[in-house]
Amino acid sequence: MEIANLEAIPLSHELPDGRSMGSVRGKTGTRFAALIRAETKDGLVGWGEAFAPPQTVATLVDELLADAIVGTSAYEVESLAERSYTGDLVGYHFGGSAFVQSAISGIDMALWDLKGKASGEPIHRLLGSSGTHSVVPYASTGYVTEWEQDIREPLEQAAEEGFDAAKIKIGRGVEDDVHRVAAARDILGDDADLMVDFNGNLRPKQAIRAAKELAEFDLTWIEEPVPPENLSGYKRVQKSIDVPLAAGEAHYGRFEFKRLIDERAVDIVQPNLGRVGGLSEARLVADMAKAENVAIYPHVWNSAVGVAAALQFAISISDYPHAGNVREPLLFEFDRSENPLRHGLIETPFDPTGGELEIPQKPGLGIEIDENAVERYRID
Ligand SMILES: [Mg+2]
């Protein structure tokens, strides 16, 4: 399992007609992916994805990480984050920084893919999953668009395709928030899980007011109401509202998540597998969360590789403290925006329709990458 070659592959896709979409905090017309390709001496190939600007990741891998990892064994994957914090990788002044941790996340994922392929098991088995075979996909939709798309359009389409749960972007003012959430609740029905995402655009008192105005819509969680760096703001909102509070997509590493969890700033942590430090660090975060009864649902805004890693991870998470049949639906973020990097890179695209998303059961990440498709979207 000696790693013979390690490469970062930057990919990009432009939305047609110069369109852009996203959240209240910004729109983009481009979807990126920073893939990692690791190959062993024996020719086994593992794939990972960093959640960060792809050409930055490629530079970090080429200049700082590849030489330090080539020649080691994929079985040493769980030491990568610690090597970055001690300074063995990149130097301790920079090893813990966000971009380096994203690059390490992608490499960690690729090495787990190799471990799974070498053992003939899907990663969730190696992580100790209980054998669950599917999750409940929620439509991550209702984006803020430059063409001012009617909120009803994407939700009606998701409901038609069988989604029972959804999350929408809000945060442009209470009146608009209520309008969007009321429309979503109307389309999805009273029993559906409905979540909202402010992408950190409010001050704490604005967030508390918004949450109170939205109380009648029975939200499953409120995501990033205040900026990710405002820990005291989260704690303040947390004390003032009854709806579960979620954050984590803009956080990374054990130290940031430890603060969110230990200080009970949120009820749900949402690490992105391509940023938190990979599957190894996500597992550590999950253990910390479990000890405080904080839930963990990964953030997923990735290509097929990141989606597969999040699926493998999601079903490995213990549902403690629940026992028996009390288990809550295993909600899984499924981004509904146009992105061929999510469905066009793999031989068998994910099928989230009908309210259920199967976990790939093949070894490793469980997916087969079409390397010709990867070359098609490559931008270096
Ligand atoms: Mg979000």
Side-chain angles (χ1 to χ4, degrees), residues 294-334:
V294 167
I296 178 164
Y297 296 119
H299 166 257
V300 192
W301 173 261
N302 302 97
S303 81
V305 177
V307 174
L311 280 170
Q312 296 289 336
F313 173 69
I315 56 158
S316 76
I317 301 165
S318 151
D319 198 33
Y320 175 81
H322 303 316
N325 296 324
V326 184
R327 191 174 180 107
E328 292 169 327
L330 195 40
L331 292 168
F332 186 87
E333 179 162 30
F334 202 89

Short mmCIF file of all heavy atoms in Angstrom, two decimals, residues 294-334:
data_model
loop_
_atom_site.label_atom_id
_atom_site.label_comp_id
_atom_site.label_asym_id
_atom_site.label_seq_id
_atom_site.Cartn_x
_atom_site.Cartn_y
_atom_site.Cartn_z
N VAL A 294 -24.59 15.98 20.82
CA VAL A 294 -24.76 16.90 19.69
C VAL A 294 -24.88 16.04 18.43
O VAL A 294 -24.12 15.07 18.26
CB VAL A 294 -23.56 17.86 19.60
CG1 VAL A 294 -23.56 18.62 18.27
CG2 VAL A 294 -23.57 18.84 20.77
N ALA A 295 -25.83 16.37 17.57
CA ALA A 295 -26.01 15.57 16.33
C ALA A 295 -24.98 15.98 15.29
O ALA A 295 -24.41 17.08 15.35
CB ALA A 295 -27.42 15.79 15.79
N ILE A 296 -24.74 15.10 14.32
CA ILE A 296 -23.77 15.42 13.27
C ILE A 296 -24.33 14.99 11.91
O ILE A 296 -24.65 13.83 11.70
CB ILE A 296 -22.39 14.80 13.58
CG1 ILE A 296 -21.36 15.07 12.49
CG2 ILE A 296 -22.46 13.31 13.88
CD1 ILE A 296 -19.92 14.82 12.93
N TYR A 297 -24.52 16.00 11.05
CA TYR A 297 -24.99 15.76 9.69
C TYR A 297 -24.02 16.48 8.76
O TYR A 297 -23.93 17.70 8.80
CB TYR A 297 -26.40 16.35 9.47
CG TYR A 297 -27.51 15.75 10.30
CD1 TYR A 297 -28.23 16.53 11.19
CD2 TYR A 297 -27.84 14.41 10.17
CE1 TYR A 297 -29.27 15.98 11.95
CE2 TYR A 297 -28.87 13.86 10.92
CZ TYR A 297 -29.58 14.64 11.80
OH TYR A 297 -30.60 14.10 12.54
N PRO A 298 -23.28 15.76 7.92
CA PRO A 298 -22.28 16.44 7.10
C PRO A 298 -22.86 17.48 6.15
O PRO A 298 -23.98 17.32 5.66
CB PRO A 298 -21.60 15.31 6.33
CG PRO A 298 -22.37 14.08 6.58
CD PRO A 298 -23.31 14.30 7.71
N HIS A 299 -22.09 18.54 5.94
CA HIS A 299 -22.40 19.52 4.89
C HIS A 299 -21.90 18.93 3.56
O HIS A 299 -20.79 18.38 3.51
CB HIS A 299 -21.67 20.83 5.19
CG HIS A 299 -21.62 21.79 4.06
ND1 HIS A 299 -20.50 21.98 3.27
CD2 HIS A 299 -22.57 22.62 3.56
CE1 HIS A 299 -20.76 22.90 2.35
NE2 HIS A 299 -22.00 23.31 2.50
N VAL A 300 -22.72 19.01 2.53
CA VAL A 300 -22.34 18.40 1.26
C VAL A 300 -22.59 19.38 0.11
O VAL A 300 -23.74 19.66 -0.24
CB VAL A 300 -23.12 17.09 1.00
CG1 VAL A 300 -22.49 16.33 -0.17
CG2 VAL A 300 -23.16 16.20 2.24
N TRP A 301 -21.53 19.93 -0.41
CA TRP A 301 -21.60 20.87 -1.55
C TRP A 301 -20.39 20.54 -2.40
O TRP A 301 -19.41 21.25 -2.45
CB TRP A 301 -21.58 22.30 -1.01
CG TRP A 301 -21.48 23.39 -2.03
CD1 TRP A 301 -20.35 24.07 -2.40
CD2 TRP A 301 -22.53 23.98 -2.78
NE1 TRP A 301 -20.64 25.01 -3.34
CE2 TRP A 301 -21.96 24.99 -3.59
CE3 TRP A 301 -23.92 23.74 -2.88
CZ2 TRP A 301 -22.72 25.77 -4.47
CZ3 TRP A 301 -24.66 24.52 -3.76
CH2 TRP A 301 -24.07 25.52 -4.53
N ASN A 302 -20.43 19.34 -2.98
CA ASN A 302 -19.21 18.76 -3.54
C ASN A 302 -19.48 18.04 -4.86
O ASN A 302 -20.63 17.87 -5.27
CB ASN A 302 -18.62 17.74 -2.56
CG ASN A 302 -18.31 18.34 -1.19
OD1 ASN A 302 -19.09 18.24 -0.27
ND2 ASN A 302 -17.18 18.99 -1.09
N SER A 303 -18.41 17.54 -5.45
CA SER A 303 -18.52 16.66 -6.60
C SER A 303 -18.91 15.27 -6.10
O SER A 303 -19.07 15.04 -4.89
CB SER A 303 -17.19 16.58 -7.35
OG SER A 303 -16.32 15.67 -6.71
N ALA A 304 -19.01 14.34 -7.05
CA ALA A 304 -19.39 12.96 -6.71
C ALA A 304 -18.48 12.36 -5.63
O ALA A 304 -18.94 11.58 -4.78
CB ALA A 304 -19.32 12.10 -7.96
N VAL A 305 -17.22 12.74 -5.64
CA VAL A 305 -16.27 12.15 -4.68
C VAL A 305 -16.61 12.58 -3.26
O VAL A 305 -16.68 11.76 -2.33
CB VAL A 305 -14.82 12.55 -5.06
CG1 VAL A 305 -13.83 12.00 -4.04
CG2 VAL A 305 -14.49 12.05 -6.46
N GLY A 306 -16.86 13.88 -3.09
CA GLY A 306 -17.22 14.38 -1.76
C GLY A 306 -18.57 13.86 -1.30
O GLY A 306 -18.77 13.59 -0.10
N VAL A 307 -19.51 13.71 -2.24
CA VAL A 307 -20.83 13.16 -1.88
C VAL A 307 -20.66 11.72 -1.37
O VAL A 307 -21.21 11.33 -0.34
CB VAL A 307 -21.81 13.19 -3.08
CG1 VAL A 307 -23.12 12.49 -2.72
CG2 VAL A 307 -22.08 14.63 -3.52
N ALA A 308 -19.85 10.94 -2.11
CA ALA A 308 -19.65 9.54 -1.72
C ALA A 308 -19.00 9.44 -0.34
O ALA A 308 -19.40 8.61 0.49
CB ALA A 308 -18.78 8.83 -2.76
N ALA A 309 -18.01 10.30 -0.09
CA ALA A 309 -17.34 10.26 1.22
C ALA A 309 -18.32 10.61 2.33
O ALA A 309 -18.33 9.98 3.40
CB ALA A 309 -16.16 11.23 1.23
N ALA A 310 -19.16 11.62 2.07
CA ALA A 310 -20.14 12.03 3.09
C ALA A 310 -21.15 10.91 3.36
O ALA A 310 -21.57 10.69 4.50
CB ALA A 310 -20.84 13.31 2.66
N LEU A 311 -21.55 10.21 2.30
CA LEU A 311 -22.48 9.08 2.48
C LEU A 311 -21.85 7.98 3.32
O LEU A 311 -22.48 7.45 4.26
CB LEU A 311 -22.89 8.49 1.12
CG LEU A 311 -23.96 9.23 0.33
CD1 LEU A 311 -24.06 8.66 -1.07
CD2 LEU A 311 -25.30 9.17 1.04
N GLN A 312 -20.60 7.64 3.00
CA GLN A 312 -19.92 6.58 3.76
C GLN A 312 -19.80 6.97 5.23
O GLN A 312 -19.98 6.15 6.13
CB GLN A 312 -18.52 6.32 3.17
CG GLN A 312 -18.53 5.78 1.74
CD GLN A 312 -19.02 4.34 1.65
OE1 GLN A 312 -18.95 3.58 2.61
NE2 GLN A 312 -19.53 3.96 0.49
N PHE A 313 -19.52 8.26 5.45
CA PHE A 313 -19.35 8.74 6.83
C PHE A 313 -20.70 8.81 7.56
O PHE A 313 -20.82 8.37 8.71
CB PHE A 313 -18.69 10.13 6.80
CG PHE A 313 -18.62 10.79 8.13
CD1 PHE A 313 -17.79 10.30 9.13
CD2 PHE A 313 -19.40 11.91 8.41
CE1 PHE A 313 -17.73 10.90 10.38
CE2 PHE A 313 -19.35 12.52 9.65
CZ PHE A 313 -18.52 12.02 10.64
N ALA A 314 -21.72 9.35 6.86
CA ALA A 314 -23.01 9.63 7.52
C ALA A 314 -23.60 8.37 8.16
O ALA A 314 -24.13 8.42 9.27
CB ALA A 314 -24.00 10.22 6.51
N ILE A 315 -23.48 7.24 7.47
CA ILE A 315 -24.12 6.05 8.04
C ILE A 315 -23.23 5.33 9.06
O ILE A 315 -23.65 4.34 9.65
CB ILE A 315 -24.60 5.05 6.97
CG1 ILE A 315 -23.45 4.64 6.07
CG2 ILE A 315 -25.77 5.58 6.19
CD1 ILE A 315 -23.72 3.31 5.40
N SER A 316 -22.04 5.87 9.26
CA SER A 316 -21.19 5.27 10.29
C SER A 316 -21.39 5.94 11.65
O SER A 316 -20.85 5.49 12.65
CB SER A 316 -19.71 5.39 9.89
OG SER A 316 -19.25 6.72 10.09
N ILE A 317 -22.20 7.02 11.66
CA ILE A 317 -22.34 7.79 12.91
C ILE A 317 -23.34 7.11 13.84
O ILE A 317 -24.45 6.77 13.42
CB ILE A 317 -22.83 9.23 12.59
CG1 ILE A 317 -21.82 9.92 11.68
CG2 ILE A 317 -23.02 10.02 13.87
CD1 ILE A 317 -22.39 11.16 11.04
N SER A 318 -22.96 6.97 15.05
CA SER A 318 -23.85 6.39 16.05
C SER A 318 -25.03 7.33 16.30
O SER A 318 -24.90 8.55 16.23
CB SER A 318 -23.06 6.20 17.35
OG SER A 318 -23.90 6.30 18.46
N ASP A 319 -26.18 6.76 16.59
CA ASP A 319 -27.36 7.57 16.88
C ASP A 319 -27.55 7.77 18.38
O ASP A 319 -28.61 8.21 18.83
CB ASP A 319 -28.61 6.92 16.28
CG ASP A 319 -29.76 7.91 16.15
OD1 ASP A 319 -29.49 9.10 15.91
OD2 ASP A 319 -30.91 7.50 16.31
N TYR A 320 -26.53 7.43 19.15
CA TYR A 320 -26.59 7.63 20.61
C TYR A 320 -27.03 9.05 20.92
O TYR A 320 -26.55 9.96 20.25
CB TYR A 320 -25.20 7.35 21.21
CG TYR A 320 -25.10 7.64 22.68
CD1 TYR A 320 -25.56 6.71 23.62
CD2 TYR A 320 -24.57 8.85 23.13
CE1 TYR A 320 -25.49 6.99 24.97
CE2 TYR A 320 -24.50 9.13 24.48
CZ TYR A 320 -24.95 8.21 25.39
OH TYR A 320 -24.89 8.48 26.73
N PRO A 321 -27.93 9.33 21.84
CA PRO A 321 -28.40 8.42 22.89
C PRO A 321 -29.65 7.61 22.52
O PRO A 321 -30.19 6.95 23.40
CB PRO A 321 -28.73 9.40 24.02
CG PRO A 321 -29.25 10.60 23.30
CD PRO A 321 -28.41 10.69 22.05
N HIS A 322 -30.11 7.69 21.27
CA HIS A 322 -31.34 6.97 20.95
C HIS A 322 -31.10 5.46 20.94
O HIS A 322 -30.04 4.99 20.55
CB HIS A 322 -31.86 7.39 19.57
CG HIS A 322 -32.12 8.86 19.49
ND1 HIS A 322 -32.73 9.56 20.49
CD2 HIS A 322 -31.83 9.77 18.53
CE1 HIS A 322 -32.82 10.83 20.14
NE2 HIS A 322 -32.28 10.98 18.97
N ALA A 323 -32.12 4.74 21.31
CA ALA A 323 -32.03 3.28 21.29
C ALA A 323 -33.24 2.72 20.56
O ALA A 323 -34.24 3.41 20.35
CB ALA A 323 -32.00 2.74 22.72
N GLY A 324 -33.13 1.48 20.16
CA GLY A 324 -34.26 0.79 19.55
C GLY A 324 -34.77 1.49 18.32
O GLY A 324 -34.02 1.85 17.43
N ASN A 325 -36.08 1.71 18.27
CA ASN A 325 -36.69 2.27 17.06
C ASN A 325 -36.85 3.78 17.10
O ASN A 325 -37.55 4.35 16.28
CB ASN A 325 -38.07 1.63 16.84
CG ASN A 325 -37.94 0.15 16.58
OD1 ASN A 325 -36.99 -0.29 15.94
ND2 ASN A 325 -38.88 -0.63 17.10
N VAL A 326 -36.18 4.41 18.04
CA VAL A 326 -36.36 5.86 18.20
C VAL A 326 -35.57 6.63 17.15
O VAL A 326 -35.77 7.81 16.96
CB VAL A 326 -35.93 6.30 19.62
CG1 VAL A 326 -36.21 7.78 19.85
CG2 VAL A 326 -36.66 5.48 20.66
N ARG A 327 -34.70 5.94 16.42
CA ARG A 327 -33.76 6.61 15.51
C ARG A 327 -34.45 7.67 14.64
O ARG A 327 -35.49 7.43 14.03
CB ARG A 327 -33.08 5.58 14.62
CG ARG A 327 -31.94 6.21 13.86
CD ARG A 327 -31.11 5.25 13.05
NE ARG A 327 -30.08 6.05 12.41
CZ ARG A 327 -28.80 6.05 12.74
NH1 ARG A 327 -28.37 5.26 13.69
NH2 ARG A 327 -27.94 6.84 12.16
N GLU A 328 -33.82 8.85 14.60
CA GLU A 328 -34.35 9.93 13.77
C GLU A 328 -33.99 9.65 12.31
O GLU A 328 -33.03 8.94 12.04
CB GLU A 328 -33.72 11.26 14.21
CG GLU A 328 -34.17 11.69 15.59
CD GLU A 328 -33.36 12.86 16.14
OE1 GLU A 328 -32.15 12.94 15.84
OE2 GLU A 328 -33.94 13.66 16.87
N PRO A 329 -34.73 10.24 11.35
CA PRO A 329 -34.36 10.04 9.95
C PRO A 329 -32.93 10.53 9.74
O PRO A 329 -32.55 11.57 10.28
CB PRO A 329 -35.34 10.92 9.18
CG PRO A 329 -36.31 11.44 10.16
CD PRO A 329 -35.87 11.12 11.54
N LEU A 330 -32.15 9.76 8.99
CA LEU A 330 -30.76 10.14 8.73
C LEU A 330 -30.73 11.12 7.56
O LEU A 330 -30.53 10.74 6.40
CB LEU A 330 -29.96 8.86 8.44
CG LEU A 330 -28.44 8.92 8.48
CD1 LEU A 330 -27.93 9.78 9.63
CD2 LEU A 330 -27.88 7.53 8.59
N LEU A 331 -30.98 12.38 7.88
CA LEU A 331 -31.09 13.40 6.83
C LEU A 331 -29.73 13.65 6.18
O LEU A 331 -28.72 13.80 6.86
CB LEU A 331 -31.63 14.70 7.43
CG LEU A 331 -33.08 14.64 7.92
CD1 LEU A 331 -33.41 15.87 8.75
CD2 LEU A 331 -34.03 14.52 6.73
N PHE A 332 -29.73 13.71 4.85
CA PHE A 332 -28.47 13.85 4.10
C PHE A 332 -28.63 14.95 3.05
O PHE A 332 -29.54 14.91 2.22
CB PHE A 332 -28.14 12.52 3.41
CG PHE A 332 -26.80 12.53 2.72
CD1 PHE A 332 -25.64 12.21 3.42
CD2 PHE A 332 -26.70 12.88 1.38
CE1 PHE A 332 -24.40 12.23 2.79
CE2 PHE A 332 -25.45 12.90 0.75
CZ PHE A 332 -24.31 12.58 1.46
N GLU A 333 -27.73 15.92 3.09
CA GLU A 333 -27.84 17.06 2.19
C GLU A 333 -27.59 16.65 0.74
O GLU A 333 -26.53 16.12 0.42
CB GLU A 333 -26.83 18.15 2.59
CG GLU A 333 -26.87 19.35 1.67
CD GLU A 333 -26.23 20.59 2.27
OE1 GLU A 333 -25.30 20.45 3.08
OE2 GLU A 333 -26.69 21.70 1.91
N PHE A 334 -28.57 16.91 -0.11
CA PHE A 334 -28.39 16.64 -1.54
C PHE A 334 -28.64 17.92 -2.32
O PHE A 334 -29.77 18.35 -2.53
CB PHE A 334 -29.32 15.51 -2.03
CG PHE A 334 -28.80 14.87 -3.29
CD1 PHE A 334 -27.93 13.80 -3.22
CD2 PHE A 334 -29.14 15.38 -4.53
CE1 PHE A 334 -27.40 13.23 -4.38
CE2 PHE A 334 -28.61 14.82 -5.70
CZ PHE A 334 -27.75 13.74 -5.62
#
